[in-house]
Amino acid sequence: MPKSVQSIRGMNDILPAQTPSWRWLETRLQSILMSYGYEEIRMPVVEHTELFSRSIGEVTDIVEKEMYTFEDRNGDSLTLRPEGTAGCVRAGIQHGLLHNQQQRLWYMGPIFRHERPQRGRYRQFHQIGVECFGIEGPDIDAELIIMTARMWQALGIDNVRLEINSIGTPGSRAAYRQQLVDYFSAMHDQLDEDSKRRLHTNPLRILDSKNPDMKDLIMGAPGILDALDGESQRHFEGLMSRLDEAGLEYVVNQRLVRGLDYYSRTVFEWVSEELGAQGTICAGGRYDDLVEQLGGRPTNAVGFAIGLERLQELVEQRAPGMELTQLDIYLVALGVKANVQAMQLSDSLRDEIEGVRIMMNCGGGSFKAQFKRADRSGARLALILGEDEVRDNTVGVKFLREDTPQESIDREQLAGYLRSALL
Ligand code: ATP
Ligand code: MG
């Protein structure tokens, strides 16, 4: 036999046993987004490479080493999206959604990064992203954070920590950047290779290093808040007072700068204690300069992204036996005549009973074989259509999880009977 082809490392199938809890998670999150009036937008998963190098920043983990970039048949350089914000901004500019108006948008879908696969870190993963345009804040920054808190509550997730920081404006960062260069230069021989390189290209990136050996050094670095300009400081205070008002606890983490270059002012992360090293389930911030940088008119913007695989792991831990979509009825049909009628019967039951989930036996089989499938299907009851039933215009009913005898119900009474039996 030829060797079978395997999936790409770090790109996972989500199997039928897992999709119900994924769907549950997605539906809950989406209904919260809708309850705040946010609208969905869908973008392509492939964009021109330039979009990402111009927005995320050349000297970032993502652009330096994580992008899936390839030439298409026309020789254009394309990239599988390594995040959603750039594409959303591109779409907003392209379709005139951003100028002189407010937008509160969300999207969901796969994201691609060539990272080392491990728990909570994959090469294809999924995000729900949210982007708000045209609002200077800090009320909108607070709304985003409060909305995410509501999401965790709806999913039954506690034990999450909110970290916030302000990284000011590009102008106010210049002075801080110099402080960092001075600090890290004095420790030059303790820096890892990435950090040495970044010391002169993008010293703020050093703070975002994932290398545990760099941790102490980073903790000792000067904080950014002392270097903030007045406007950014007022913005940050406005955010904190709103979070206080909402009763949300948070930690100010002055080393939180986020892994992308486009942020300004507010940055935040939600970190779970239950996921090991990859604990950040949601991250975001303000990016007031990005729209202009990508060719639009200056537009305030703030957003976040949730990593769904990590959230999914938390939800599974919490509710392993979650009551999920299941089948109501499995229709057993014996003989060709019954098989033909079963198809009509199941379709008319779908018309007669709102929302009923009914699976018809296909592929024939003995009574015993069909009942085995019925059991395995997880359905609550089996309907049986044999020669006798076809002749008498009746249907057999057998509850699969109860020890009651099979009953025979007239076809005319069937829908009414099932409606109350399935309540
Ligand atoms: P990390 O610090 O874990 O590398 P990041 O700062 O690169 O995260 P963002 O670009 O902010 O992540 O993406 C938002 C969220 O997407 C993260 O908080 C995380 O939950 C999730 N995420 C990021 N990278 C991955 C990945 N490779 N696999 C699974 N989830 C991921
Ligand atoms: Mg990363």
Side-chain angles (χ1 to χ4, degrees), residues 61-62 66 113 115 121 208 210 310:
D61 279 350
I62 294 180
E66 295 175 0
R113 295 185 191 172
E115 302 195 71
R121 198 176 285 292
D208 194 51
K210 298 284 183 311
R310 296 184 192 176

Side-chain angles (χ1 to χ4, degrees), residues 217-403:
L217 213 58
I218 289 169
M219 287 312 287
I224 196 168
L225 291 177
D226 293 333
L228 279 195
D229 59 288
E231 268 301 307
S232 296
Q233 203 164 345
R234 272 189 292 284
H235 188 103
F236 194 46
E237 280 159 12
L239 170 63
M240 289 191 286
S241 70
R242 283 172 175 83
L243 296 180
D244 291 337
E245 199 65 42
L248 274 194
E249 282 178 33
Y250 55 85
V251 182
V252 175
N253 175 0
Q254 293 208 52
R255 274 97 207 157
L256 182 66
V257 293
R258 309 283 305 110
L260 309 98
D261 274 356
Y262 52 60
Y263 287 107
S264 52
R265 296 196 173 150
T266 310
V267 290
F268 68 93
E269 287 193 2
W270 285 95
V271 186
S272 163
E273 301 293 347
E274 297 170 26
L275 291 173
Q278 270 61 247
T280 304
I281 53 172
C282 170
R286 182 163 279 279
Y287 50 96
D288 290 330
D289 302 307
L290 183 60
V291 177
E292 191 177 11
Q293 205 174 308
L294 289 177
R297 299 191 217 195
T299 305
N300 292 108
V302 56
F304 66 78
I306 295 174
L308 291 178
E309 275 74 6
R310 296 184 192 176
L311 208 54
Q312 175 64 20
E313 195 183 328
L314 284 181
V315 171
E316 263 172 11
Q317 278 174 11
R318 217 152 293 271
M322 202 187 304
E323 183 70 15
L324 298 161
T325 42
Q326 52 167 242
L327 211 52
D328 299 308
I329 298 170
Y330 191 92
L331 181 48
V332 168
L334 292 156
V336 177
K337 226 170 164 184
N339 183 270
V340 171
Q341 286 217 353
M343 205 158 259
Q344 295 168 352
L345 175 65
S346 55
D347 256 345
S348 34
L349 287 176
R350 288 184 194 104
D351 290 335
E352 290 164 50
I353 309 171
E354 167 95 30
V356 74
R357 289 158 297 188
I358 171 164
M359 180 182 277
M360 178 188 134
N361 184 78
C362 283
S366 66
F367 186 79
K368 199 173 153 204
Q370 293 198 31
F371 245 85
K372 210 165 165 185
R373 287 189 203 126
D375 259 335
R376 257 199 229 138
S377 75
R380 290 172 61 191
L381 57 86
L383 293 183
I384 300 121
L385 211 54
E387 267 173 38
D388 294 351
E389 283 81 6
V390 170
R391 188 193 56 225
D392 303 341
N393 202 24
T394 59
V395 178
V397 180
K398 174 83 179 87
F399 287 86
L400 293 166
R401 327 260 183 84
E402 290 162 40
D403 210 9

Side-chain angles (χ1 to χ4, degrees), residues 18-63:
Q18 303 161 317
T19 47
S21 88
W22 274 84
R23 200 176 270 277
W24 179 84
L25 176 72
E26 291 162 2
T27 316
R28 293 230 141 173
L29 294 178
Q30 289 169 14
S31 78
I32 290 177
L33 286 162
M34 289 184 204
S35 77
Y36 279 75
Y38 286 57
E39 294 178 296
E40 186 186 9
I41 180 168
R42 301 185 184 191
M43 296 87 65
V45 293
V46 188
E47 299 272 2
H48 290 291
T49 303
E50 183 195 358
L51 176 68
F52 303 114
S53 46
R54 264 171 71 178
S55 56
I56 296 169
E58 295 280 3
V59 190
T60 56
D61 279 350
I62 294 180
V63 173

Side-chain angles (χ1 to χ4, degrees), residues 51-87:
L51 176 68
F52 303 114
S53 46
R54 264 171 71 178
S55 56
I56 296 169
E58 295 280 3
V59 190
T60 56
D61 279 350
I62 294 180
V63 173
E64 279 181 330
K65 51 193 180 196
E66 295 175 0
M67 295 207 299
Y68 280 91
T69 297
F70 60 97
E71 255 186 31
D72 77 354
R73 288 171 194 278
N74 305 328
D76 295 330
S77 179
L78 307 183
T79 294
L80 299 185
R81 65 176 177 201
E83 56 107 52
T85 303

